Amino acid sequence: MKRKLFHQFSAPSNLAMILLMVFPLVYAVFLSLNFVTFRNITSPEFVGMANYRYILSDPDFWRAFRFSLIIIVFTVPVHICLGFIMALFLDQVSLAVRGLLMSMMLLPFIVVPVVGTVMFRQLFEVGGIMSYLYQQVFSQPFVFTPMSVKVLVIFHLIWYVTPYPIVVFFAGLQTLPEEHLEAATVDGASRIQQIRFIVIPHLKPLLLMIMMILIMDMYRMFDSILVMTKQNPLFQAENLMMYNYRIGMSVQRLGRANTTAVLTVIGILVVLIPFLRLQYRNKTGKG
Amino acid sequence: MTPVKHPLAKTGIYAVLILFSIYSVIPFFWAILQSLKTVRQAFARTPLFFFTPTAQNYTNLWFTSTPENFWALGMIIVGTAVTFILLLMVSKKYAVPKSLLIAGIIIILAAALILIPRMMNMAEFYNYFVNSVIITVGVVVISMTIGSVSGYAIARYTGIDSIIILIAALGFRALPRMAFALPYYSLGLATGLYDTYWIVILVLVAANQPFTIWMMSAFFADIPKELEEAASIDGLAPFPAFIRVIIPSAWPGILSTGLFSMLLAYHEFLLVRVLTQSKWTLPVAIVQFTGGEAPGHVTLAAAAAVSTTIPIVLIIIFFQKHLVKGLTGGSVKG
């Protein structure tokens, strides 16, 4: 395909992305330097770096940042380990059973995130199965506290996102070099050794990619936390996205909210840039 | 991997998998039970598993007054379902063009959506449902049209430009939604597009583009180049060749990508919440049901959650293979 034709074909899509994604980002940077509320939405007032100074010295911002990091640290390793184990196990069962099990496992990931959270939360509310079991085991009722809500958020994110690494690792397992495994079996390598020395090295690029995607997805998680905390400030379970949402929609300081958005974008670049470089190398074939 | 032989290990593997599957679906199971209870039953100290189910929550959710012509509603639903199945069977047998089939399905759905409120008093929830359908269909149609043309071009062009576009798209995809929602909010208010279907559809199309072109380019890369070479020998220009020769052989990929595009639009909460006031979709409506502490909301929320999930369950039953392909699309070769 010629270059000119390529650009003609991809023009509508590129136009949509530039107009609807690049332009708003630039506009967000502009708004972040202004004082904007609902009153002066069409005539922003330039204030320079004042919004940045305010946000960066707001203890709530740093608490949200900490919770964002906590979410990543407690969920991503579990996603990956659980996903890998389940994929290995799924690889062992017969085709008919596998389809059914996979459908059931996929459900949390495919359902509307808000709905999944509502359902998960209901288990722990008064009259739910989990709150009943909790009462039986600890002989005190389950209460939503700042601590327990944070734990629930993490549990929910594990329930919700694990299907994704399961499916990807399972697909990766189907591309294993069979002859290596056979050679290893002949040499008397145990199953654990096979996994350690053949399967994991083979899946390493995939593992790295999934890890980066999961970190970025957990970082920008929003729906789940909103429903789990019901936006109750008492729980102090805001991550950066929730903080951003509150500044914009509840406090209605649009300038400051855009500042927060710009800061969160800068934050994600730490993972995004290595990820994009990795992808670029994969695509261009430079090892 | 070589299969495990030891019977004990085998049993262990099955046990773990079954337990994990049950753990995955328990919230759904419980939501279904809660949605069929009265408020008093739902709050019982010991969770109730056996009770006389009531459809009250669903009628409260969907209707303002209990419809007298329940039968008519039943007939419409059954009729739609039967037509769908017939359509699918006919299309399998006589190789009806896929685009015609999809058009047929959209027409039937639209007819049902218009007919139902004429016959009974639908509650607010029905409007949210209709909004969800409008936005989802709009997003899928626009996004797939421009995305598949671009994906094809990316798959066929070997220069550096296509790689740059793919990488940039990936970057967009990873950015937090909030970074787009806020500037759009200001822009929407300034241009008067705020609170219209258009702004939501346009923004979601843009948000879906990165994913769409990645998946479509991966699928088109698997389609043999000889196809369009033959077409160009027959004297077809590139674009007609794409429409008449490439598209028909790319249907599995289009279906996979379309499904995900659909799910992304159906799932969206934040952008709809920020950019609209009267065009709320199901996810936004459900947050409203669960936001308050009123006891009656628990069973209602369960009914709303189950109602929203039914289409998803149907998709998973019929299209599981396409979903799996979509999830791994591009990231795993083989």
Side-chain angles (χ1 to χ4, degrees):
Chain A
M1 188 179 265
K2 294 262 164 42
R3 186 151 187 251
K4 195 171 158 218
L5 189 65
F6 164 72
H7 280 286
Q8 282 169 359
F9 267 53
S10 58
S13 167
N14 293 344
L15 206 66
M17 282 197 283
I18 291 170
L19 266 183
L20 296 165
M21 298 186 98
V22 179
F23 176 60
L25 276 180
V26 175
Y27 193 55
V29 174
F30 165 73
L31 285 178
S32 75
L33 298 169
N34 286 271
F35 174 82
V36 195
T37 62
F38 284 74
R39 286 167 201 279
N40 66 341
I41 203 144
T42 45
S43 55
E45 182 189 322
F46 188 76
V47 291
M49 297 302 279
N51 287 331
Y52 285 89
R53 273 198 295 279
Y54 174 85
I55 294 291
L56 286 173
S57 60
D58 184 359
D60 281 4
F61 173 79
W62 291 107
R63 193 164 58 209
F65 180 68
R66 257 203 315 278
F67 188 48
S68 285
L69 290 187
I70 288 175
I71 290 178
I72 293 173
V73 169
F74 279 93
T75 55
V76 175
V78 182
H79 287 148
I80 290 187
C81 295
L82 209 55
F84 185 65
I85 293 171
M86 290 301 153
L88 277 179
F89 282 7
L90 271 178
D91 197 33
Q92 295 290 338
V93 302
S94 66
L95 212 65
V97 184
R98 188 191 291 161
L100 178 69
L101 292 177
M102 234 172 179
S103 291
M104 287 166 77
M105 288 181 188
L106 261 179
L107 203 51
F109 191 64
I110 302 296
V111 76
V112 181
V114 167
V115 168
T117 322
V118 168
M119 290 176 165
F120 198 86
R121 190 190 155 99
Q122 284 206 342
L123 294 177
F124 292 89
E125 281 170 345
V126 180
I129 308 177
M130 290 310 287
S131 73
Y132 173 75
L133 287 178
Y134 187 92
Q135 168 100 41
Q136 297 304 306
V137 175
F138 298 100
S139 55
Q140 53 184 354
F142 182 85
V143 198
F144 285 87
T145 62
M147 191 61 205
S148 71
V149 164
K150 288 194 186 81
V151 174
L152 272 195
V153 165
I154 286 167
F155 271 124
H156 169 256
L157 289 178
I158 290 170
W159 174 78
Y160 162 36
V161 180
T162 307
Y164 177 57
I166 293 181
V167 169
V168 175
F169 286 143
F170 178 75
L173 284 178
Q174 310 310 308
T175 66
L176 278 181
E178 283 298 328
E179 56 281 16
H180 287 199
L181 285 171
E182 274 159 26
T185 322
V186 172
D187 290 349
S190 74
R191 195 162 285 277
I192 302 289
Q193 281 171 328
Q194 285 181 25
I195 291 173
R196 169 77 186 76
F197 294 107
I198 298 175
V199 178
I200 292 184
H202 178 76
L203 292 183
K204 208 169 164 199
L206 199 60
L207 212 75
L208 192 65
M209 203 189 73
I210 282 282
M211 197 175 77
M212 286 170 155
I213 291 180
L214 285 175
I215 290 176
M216 292 190 286
D217 280 357
M218 289 302 107
Y219 178 75
R220 61 190 185 137
M221 189 49 66
F222 174 78
D223 302 11
S224 164
I225 301 169
L226 179 95
V227 174
M228 203 57 99
T229 60
K230 295 189 177 177
Q231 280 185 278
N232 189 335
L234 284 179
F235 294 142
Q236 302 189 336
E238 271 183 341
N239 69 344
L240 282 173
M241 304 305 134
M242 288 285 295
Y243 172 80
N244 198 351
Y245 181 77
R246 176 163 63 87
I247 297 289
M249 292 291 118
S250 314
V251 189
Q252 310 200 330
R253 290 300 191 91
L254 292 175
R256 282 178 187 167
N258 277 296
T259 307
T260 319
V262 172
L263 288 172
T264 56
V265 169
I266 292 172
I268 210 165
L269 293 182
V270 178
V271 188
L272 185 59
I273 288 175
F275 176 69
L276 293 184
R277 270 188 50 173
L278 186 82
Q279 290 293 327
Y280 182 78
R281 284 190 184 161
N282 284 348
K283 278 277 162 195
T284 49
K286 288 174 203 150
Chain B
M1 290 280 291
T2 41
V4 172
K5 291 272 160 44
H6 199 282
L8 205 66
K10 213 158 184 160
T11 324
I13 285 174
Y14 272 92
V16 170
L17 284 175
I18 289 170
L19 277 179
F20 190 81
S21 311
I22 292 173
Y23 151 85
S24 297
V25 296
I26 271 195
F28 299 93
F29 168 73
W30 186 243
I32 292 171
L33 285 187
Q34 291 290 67
S35 73
L36 295 171
K37 289 175 184 174
T38 62
V39 176
R40 183 187 287 271
Q41 286 168 335
F43 279 108
R45 278 266 160 244
T46 329
L48 275 180
F49 288 97
F50 302 100
F51 54 91
T52 340
T54 164
Q56 196 58 44
N57 296 311
Y58 289 95
T59 35
N60 285 350
L61 186 71
W62 289 94
F63 309 108
T64 41
S65 57
T66 317
E68 301 97 43
N69 41 3
F70 234 138
W71 284 109
L73 179 74
M75 292 308 276
I76 291 178
I77 291 173
V78 171
T80 323
V82 169
T83 327
F84 267 134
I85 293 166
L86 279 179
L87 249 176
L88 282 177
M89 278 162 58
V90 168
S91 70
K92 276 242 169 78
K93 207 154 190 188
Y94 297 103
V96 178
K98 286 274 171 37
S99 41
L100 219 71
L101 183 70
I102 291 176
I105 289 174
I106 291 178
I107 289 170
I108 295 172
L109 265 184
L113 286 181
I114 295 166
L115 265 177
I116 289 173
R118 291 264 168 91
M119 301 180 68
M120 46 210 83
N121 304 316
M122 305 304 290
E124 197 83 28
F125 197 73
Y126 185 76
N127 297 338
Y128 301 139
F129 174 70
V130 173
N131 289 341
S132 269
V133 172
I134 290 174
I135 287 172
T136 308
V137 171
V139 169
V140 172
V141 169
I142 300 177
S143 174
M144 290 306 294
T145 311
I146 63 175
S148 44
V149 185
S150 174
Y152 170 69
I154 288 170
R156 285 298 186 256
Y157 179 66
T158 43
I160 195 83
D161 301 23
S162 70
I163 295 176
I164 290 175
I165 290 176
L166 278 182
I167 300 295
L170 205 59
F172 289 142
R173 200 190 155 201
L175 294 181
R177 281 274 201 277
M178 213 57 197
F180 303 108
L182 287 166
Y184 275 123
Y185 182 69
S186 300
L187 287 171
L189 283 175
T191 55
L193 274 176
Y194 176 74
D195 200 19
T196 57
Y197 291 124
W198 280 113
I199 191 165
V200 181
I201 292 178
L202 282 177
V203 175
L204 279 176
V205 164
N208 270 356
Q209 254 338 271
F211 159 80
T212 314
I213 60 174
W214 262 84
M215 264 182 77
M216 286 317 298
S217 68
F219 282 119
F220 281 125
D222 288 342
I223 290 176
K225 277 193 178 144
E226 288 73 33
L227 268 181
E228 66 241 42
E229 278 160 17
S232 83
I233 290 168
D234 287 348
L236 273 176
F239 193 70
F242 171 69
I243 299 286
R244 284 200 232 150
V245 181
I246 306 293
I247 289 277
S249 52
W251 268 107
I254 292 176
L255 190 61
S256 275
T257 317
L259 269 178
F260 267 86
S261 201
M262 192 184 115
L263 286 177
L264 281 171
Y266 191 69
H267 283 178
E268 186 60 39
F269 167 79
L270 181 63
L271 287 172
V272 181
R273 171 73 186 79
V274 172
L275 297 177
T276 67
Q277 199 127 51
S278 63
K279 307 283 188 290
W280 283 7
T281 56
L282 292 174
V284 184
I286 283 169
V287 170
Q288 185 196 22
F289 280 123
T290 55
E293 302 287 343
H297 274 177
V298 172
T299 50
L300 211 57
V306 173
S307 304
T308 314
T309 310
I310 289 172
I312 306 266
V313 173
L314 291 180
I315 285 174
I316 218 174
I317 291 173
F318 288 109
F319 299 108
Q320 196 226 29
K321 276 202 190 108
H322 293 275
L323 283 177
V324 170
K325 227 196 279 166
L327 278 173
T328 53
S331 65
V332 187
K333 287 261 146 61

